[in-house]
Amino acid sequence: MKIHEADARAIFAKYGLPVPPSRLVMNAADARKAAEEIGCPVVVKAQVLVGGRGKAGGVKLASTPDEAAEKAKAILGMNIKGITVGKVLVARAVDIANEYYVGMVVDRRSRKPLMMVSPAGGIDIEEVARTSPEKILKVVIDTAFGIMPFQLRQMTAFLSGDREIAKKLGGILASLYRVFMGVDSSLAEINPLVVTPAREVWAIDAKINIDDSSLYRQKDASSLRDESAEERGEVEAREAGLSFVKLDGSIGCIVNGAGLAMATMDMIKHFGGEPANFLDIGGSSSPDKVLAAMKIILRDRHVKTILINIFGGITRCDDVALGLIEAKKQLGLDIPLVVRLTGTNEERAREILKGTALIPAATMEEGVKRAIEAARS
Ligand code: GDP
Ligand code: MN
């Protein structure tokens, strides 16, 4: 789950990271007031859950409260990568002598937290990774020991030759690690972390993604979800108890089990098709879940056909068949549905689907091939 910069800043501050004072506002008048209270210069920042706001014109400096109001007016309502800006953060601006990148992710290979630092901060870190990977230092952290002093020294020396600044940076890296672990992040990033000409260090941007699997114990964080920034289908799917990810292809997929869903997508690709989504309806699927899945998939205009691939274990094929019939009735389906149902109650399912326009498939491979044909014609 992504959270807004304003919320990530609050978490940073709670963990002792140096974050300039700021206020979240929704109109120009409040932006002026915020600038007066905070003291100018300020920076006015679009609160949208996408990166590269600076480049898109969503981050502007202002040297007076009037100018802050003007900049807020310009940014509010702006469209950044498909999202309309509804709130801006007015933050105390700092002078920048150096910009660093500092971030943490979960490293799949070592299955441990990984800290990445770079003296080439401020800009797109993916770009740095591509063009000059030697400017990024990666350090794997063993959670049994936490971040070790020698690791901190390694990273801070990589960032700055200045002992005094390196020492300040060390404290910040240690705090970022505590944030990462403390709020169960999948990503925590400061880009840029800046050093001012007066040799102060400030985190002037804040990004935290929280692992969805830990939201049950991150109670405070759950309220930070911004559904307006999420794919509508993904929000509905979550509410219906489905696991859904939208993709760009033409073949909608309804599958039970994440592994089978992945295998189905792989096979579609293998035979030259493009999946329109990942969708796992989970175990013990009721007809309602199938109906909800259909609704979500059909909203995508690119979907030309739907492949239903069910391996009935706990999921009963007859339940799924009933859901399909119901969906066809309620939604007035006019695109081909390819159905492969196997396992628990498959005979009953076949009985239910007999005489309907659904395209049956005996195996997964046949189902995939038929779906690709149907999507092409
Ligand atoms: P992002 O583009 O979405 O990552 O937004 P950032 O918060 O990182 O801001 C983008 C850029 O705006 C930064 O890299 C800085 O160059 C600039 N910027 C942001 N805040 C300040 C500030 O307080 N002072 C100065 N001088 N520049 C700032
Ligand atoms: Mn940034």
Side-chain angles (χ1 to χ4, degrees):
M1 180 182 88
K2 294 180 178 177
I3 65 172
H4 281 290
E5 180 193 357
D7 298 322
R9 277 180 179 240
I11 293 173
F12 277 7
K14 200 173 119 193
Y15 281 82
L17 283 163
V19 181
S22 65
R23 304 254 191 294
L24 189 63
V25 301
M26 296 175 73
N27 59 58
D30 287 347
R32 179 185 290 109
K33 205 156 74 188
E36 278 164 2
E37 285 168 16
I38 291 167
C40 282
V42 292
V43 56
V44 183
K45 312 181 74 176
Q47 295 299 287
V48 286
L49 294 177
V50 291
R53 294 165 303 166
K55 264 191 213 152
V59 177
K60 293 185 195 301
L61 288 163
S63 46
T64 64
D66 279 343
E67 207 185 321
E70 203 180 292
K71 297 284 157 73
K73 205 173 156 193
I75 295 173
L76 286 161
M78 187 184 263
N79 187 305
I80 299 181
K81 297 181 187 171
I83 300 169
T84 306
V85 181
K87 289 178 188 164
V88 292
L89 188 74
V90 179
R92 162 94 53 76
V94 298
D95 284 337
I96 300 177
N98 278 307
E99 294 185 277
Y100 301 117
Y101 170 89
V102 181
M104 289 198 70
V105 292
V106 177
D107 178 40
R108 283 166 194 274
R109 193 174 304 167
S110 60
R111 297 189 237 155
K112 293 187 171 74
L114 175 79
M115 189 172 270
M116 293 177 286
V117 298
S118 172
I123 45 171
D124 195 357
I125 196 66
E126 282 83 9
E127 182 66 24
V128 178
R130 215 166 21 245
T131 58
S132 37
E134 75 285 355
K135 287 192 185 146
I136 302 176
L137 176 67
K138 297 179 180 178
V139 173
V140 170
I141 298 164
D142 191 324
T143 50
F145 304 111
I147 195 162
M148 302 292 279
F150 80 90
Q151 295 181 308
L152 289 172
R153 285 196 296 275
Q154 209 179 350
M155 288 187 276
T156 56
F158 184 77
L159 291 176
S160 175
D162 183 314
R163 283 269 189 100
E164 189 195 335
I165 286 173
K167 198 166 171 206
K168 287 185 184 168
L169 295 176
I172 285 169
L173 299 187
S175 297
L176 183 66
Y177 176 71
R178 289 195 300 115
V179 170
F180 184 83
M181 299 302 287
V183 301
D184 292 322
S185 317
S186 51
L187 178 144
E189 192 180 83
I190 312 173
N191 187 26
L193 174 66
V194 304
V195 176
T196 67
R199 304 163 67 76
E200 292 167 348
V201 181
W202 293 100
I204 66 168
D205 193 7
K207 186 169 172 184
I208 297 177
N209 295 354
I210 297 173
D211 188 337
D212 285 317
S213 307
S214 60
L215 288 175
Y216 75 95
R217 65 182 190 190
Q218 293 291 337
K219 296 273 187 304
D220 296 346
S222 305
S223 64
L224 304 178
R225 188 184 290 282
D226 177 3
E227 296 197 335
S228 70
E230 295 180 25
E231 175 68 35
R232 185 170 152 207
E234 291 180 14
V235 175
E236 282 182 26
R238 188 170 53 242
E239 282 163 2
L242 308 165
S243 163
F244 172 82
V245 180
K246 190 187 161 337
L247 302 167
D248 299 325
S250 59
I251 302 174
C253 304
I254 296 181
V255 188
N256 68 321
L260 187 60
M262 296 300 281
T264 305
M265 290 163 50
D266 282 350
M267 200 180 270
I268 290 173
K269 283 255 187 193
H270 178 73
F271 287 112
E274 287 295 332
N277 65 277
F278 166 97
L279 193 147
D280 172 12
I281 60 173
S284 65
S285 297
S286 63
D288 289 350
K289 273 194 176 178
V290 177
L291 185 61
M294 283 279 181
K295 280 189 188 156
I296 292 164
I297 289 178
L298 289 170
R299 198 172 309 115
D300 180 351
R301 283 175 300 103
H302 299 115
V303 171
K304 300 273 184 294
T305 183
I306 297 178
L307 170 62
I308 296 105
N309 186 14
I310 302 294
F311 188 89
I314 300 171
T315 307
R316 291 168 33 184
C317 294
D318 53 334
D319 270 352
V320 176
L322 287 173
L324 291 174
I325 301 273
E326 191 55 36
K328 217 162 155 39
K329 215 175 351 179
Q330 282 195 26
L331 307 172
L333 281 185
D334 54 359
I335 60 167
L337 295 188
V338 179
V339 188
R340 182 246 182 173
L341 291 171
T342 188
T344 311
N345 294 355
E346 70 174 272
E347 299 79 14
R348 215 174 298 165
R350 253 198 297 278
E351 204 59 37
I352 292 167
L353 296 177
K354 198 180 276 173
T356 65
L358 304 174
I359 304 169
T363 64
M364 178 160 159
E365 185 170 326
E366 186 193 339
V368 166
K369 285 179 174 164
R370 288 191 171 221
I372 292 172
E373 267 165 43
R376 285 203 180 121
S377 58

